[in-house]
């Protein structure tokens, strides 16, 4: 089966600009996660979707970050405006069902804010 | 709030050594624990998933143990090879969310 697809692979932007990342989960996977991984740290959960509804966005900086999952399939994560500290790898993961422990991760998008 | 810690942060060893990577967590009420491998510029590859009712899991040269009562897990790598060089992350499942440690960066040199 195809894996979790993410694009772009790399992005360099200036601070205060906006950026968007895209994720296409494995077909049929109802649960989708966005993680932020700052260099030298483990991934941190930003938001969790179940189909097209948000289950947990408690760690999403909502003043600048937003995410949506239209039609319960693809998802986009947006940052507006970006700050230097947003430089990180943004990982998308999907799982078949709620409380299914078989996560599959995408390769991530590496964001550099200058 | 769950906190996951991994020791050591970095490790450099010659080929052939047996290795132990440590993971500790503060909240023992976990569902499962999972070990991942991350290569530079790549996503995460699942290595071993230990369910809460299990004590260990094995896959090839890898063996992971889990002691929920003490909040510890170890990943044992036998006969290390240069291809094992990567960052190893442990993560706990609290409900259905993965909480990651900071990782151990492993380098195995020939």
């Amino acid at each position: 089966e195809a894996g979790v697809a993410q694009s772009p692979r790399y992005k360099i932007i200036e601070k205060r600009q906006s950026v968007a990342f895209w994720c296409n989960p494995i077909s049929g996977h109802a649960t989708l996660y966005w993680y932020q991984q700052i260099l030298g740290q483990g991934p941190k959960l930003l938001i969790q979707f179940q189909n097209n509804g948000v289950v947990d966005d408690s760690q999403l900086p909502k003043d600048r970050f937003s995410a949506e999952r239209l039609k319960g399939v693809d998802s986009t994560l947006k940052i507006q405006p970006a700050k230097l500290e947003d430089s990180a790898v943004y990982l998308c993961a999907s799982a078949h069902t709620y409380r299914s422990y078989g996560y599959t991760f995408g390769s991530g998008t590496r964001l550099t804010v200058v | 709030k769950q906190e996951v810690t991994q020791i050591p942060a970095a490790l450099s060893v010659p080929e052939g050594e047996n290795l132990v990577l440590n993971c500790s967590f503060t909240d023992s009420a976990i569902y499962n624990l999972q070990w991942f491998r991350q290569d530079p510029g790549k996503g995460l590859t699942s290595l071993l998933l230990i369910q809460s009712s299990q004590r260990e899991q094995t896959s090839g040269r890898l063996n992971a143990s889990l002691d929920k009562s003490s909040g510890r897990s170890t990943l044992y790598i036998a006969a290390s090879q240069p291809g094992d060089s990567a960052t190893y992350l442990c993560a706990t499942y609290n409900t259905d969310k993965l909480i990651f440690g900071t990782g151990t960066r492993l380098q195995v040199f020939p």
Side-chain angles (χ1 to χ4, degrees):
Chain A
E1 67 182 358
V4 175
Q6 290 190 246
S7 67
R9 287 298 310 276
Y10 307 94
K11 190 74 176 179
I12 300 175
I13 62 172
E14 295 182 349
K15 59 184 179 183
R16 291 187 290 272
Q17 286 187 324
S18 63
V19 64
F21 314 128
W22 174 81
C23 172
N24 180 235
I26 291 176
S27 177
H29 278 197
T31 309
L32 185 147
Y33 307 82
W34 283 101
Y35 281 82
Q36 178 193 57
Q37 186 177 21
I38 294 172
L39 185 65
Q41 300 181 17
K44 182 186 79 171
L45 179 67
L46 291 176
I47 189 168
Q48 175 188 359
F49 290 95
Q50 178 68 15
N51 295 310
N52 61 346
V54 175
V55 174
D56 184 352
D57 62 357
S58 58
Q59 297 197 77
L60 187 72
K62 299 181 186 63
D63 58 332
R64 299 184 299 106
F65 286 66
S66 64
E68 61 181 8
R69 190 183 184 196
L70 299 176
K71 301 180 181 178
V73 182
D74 293 5
S75 177
T76 57
L77 176 69
K78 297 179 181 179
I79 307 175
Q80 181 178 10
K83 293 185 176 182
L84 296 177
E85 58 261 36
D86 298 332
S87 295
V89 175
Y90 291 84
L91 295 163
C92 178
S94 69
H96 187 251
T97 57
Y98 185 63
R99 294 198 178 181
S100 166
Y101 300 112
Y103 276 52
T104 301
F105 280 85
S107 297
T109 295
R110 181 177 297 276
L111 172 68
T112 302
V113 182
V114 298
Chain B
K1 178 184 173 185
Q2 177 73 285
E3 293 185 6
V4 182
T5 305
Q6 292 186 244
I7 295 173
L11 190 58
S12 182
V13 299
E15 181 176 9
E17 280 205 4
N18 299 323
L19 308 172
V20 176
L21 307 183
N22 296 294
C23 172
S24 61
F25 46 94
T26 55
D27 182 357
S28 62
I30 63 172
Y31 285 81
N32 304 307
L33 184 140
Q34 193 161 5
W35 284 90
F36 291 87
R37 169 183 172 140
Q38 186 172 33
D39 293 283
K42 301 288 181 64
L44 304 178
T45 301
S46 176
L47 296 174
L48 293 165
L49 171 67
I50 311 175
Q51 297 182 5
S52 61
S53 59
Q54 298 175 324
R55 300 280 292 183
E56 65 178 326
Q57 279 283 349
T58 298
S59 176
R61 294 182 294 107
L62 304 180
N63 175 274
S65 65
L66 173 63
D67 184 345
K68 284 179 60 177
S69 62
S70 66
R72 296 174 186 267
S73 176
T74 60
L75 178 66
Y76 178 80
I77 303 175
S80 59
Q81 303 171 357
D84 295 330
S85 298
T87 295
Y88 291 80
L89 294 156
C90 74
T92 62
Y93 281 93
N94 292 68
T95 63
D96 66 332
K97 299 175 184 54
L98 277 174
I99 310 295
F100 283 89
T102 50
T104 293
R105 190 170 64 254
L106 173 65
Q107 182 174 7
V108 182
F109 54 90

